[in-house]
Amino acid sequence: MNSLEQLPLWVEVLVALLLVISSLFALIGALGILRMKSYFQRMHPPALASTMGSWTVALASILYFSALKSGPVLHAWLIPILLAITVPVTTLLLARAALFRKRMAGDDVPAEVSSKRSEAGN
């Protein structure tokens, strides 16, 4: 297929719909940051929305390039798979760092989970 030929209309519509859905996920994540009050609440909307947004963009990319080359093009799945692995780990590390800072500042935060286990075992 050369650059002058067009894709089928259903492919273009589906790709456009998937891209609009991904932008809605990004908007929902941004609104979640604005509406939530504490740091820990603000961590969840962008993490969840960016994960779902990246899956829809990857699906749109796979659909578009597979239709363009008349065969499956699946290497775009690598991006959301890596994001699905790294985003939760990063979110957990950021939450732990924020809890550590709050504990060092003397704020009222939940006790460490590891200290409860050692007390229960005695």
Side-chain angles (χ1 to χ4, degrees), residues 35-57:
R35 292 191 47 95
M36 300 296 164
K37 303 217 182 315
S38 74
Y39 173 77
F40 297 103
Q41 291 174 339
R42 286 192 301 263
M43 290 175 65
H44 294 286
L48 296 173
S50 68
T51 302
M52 289 303 296
S54 69
W55 282 99
T56 55
V57 167

Side-chain angles (χ1 to χ4, degrees), residues 44-107:
H44 294 286
L48 296 173
S50 68
T51 302
M52 289 303 296
S54 69
W55 282 99
T56 55
V57 167
L59 185 58
S61 175
I62 288 170
L63 183 64
Y64 179 80
F65 288 110
S66 293
L68 195 63
K69 292 191 176 195
S70 300
V73 178
L74 301 176
H75 61 275
W77 280 127
L78 187 59
I79 295 168
I81 288 172
L82 290 175
L83 284 174
I85 294 169
T86 58
V87 167
V89 173
T90 306
T91 304
L92 177 70
L93 291 174
L94 287 171
R96 285 182 172 225
L99 275 174
F100 178 77
R101 290 186 67 177
K102 283 188 162 284
R103 281 192 188 107
M104 292 297 115
D107 293 346

Side-chain angles (χ1 to χ4, degrees), residues 1-17 60 62-71:
M1 182 178 275
N2 63 29
S3 61
L4 298 177
E5 294 181 31
Q6 289 189 348
L7 293 174
L9 181 62
W10 69 271
V11 172
E12 292 179 355
V13 169
L14 192 55
V15 167
L17 183 66
I62 288 170
L63 183 64
Y64 179 80
F65 288 110
S66 293
L68 195 63
K69 292 191 176 195
S70 300

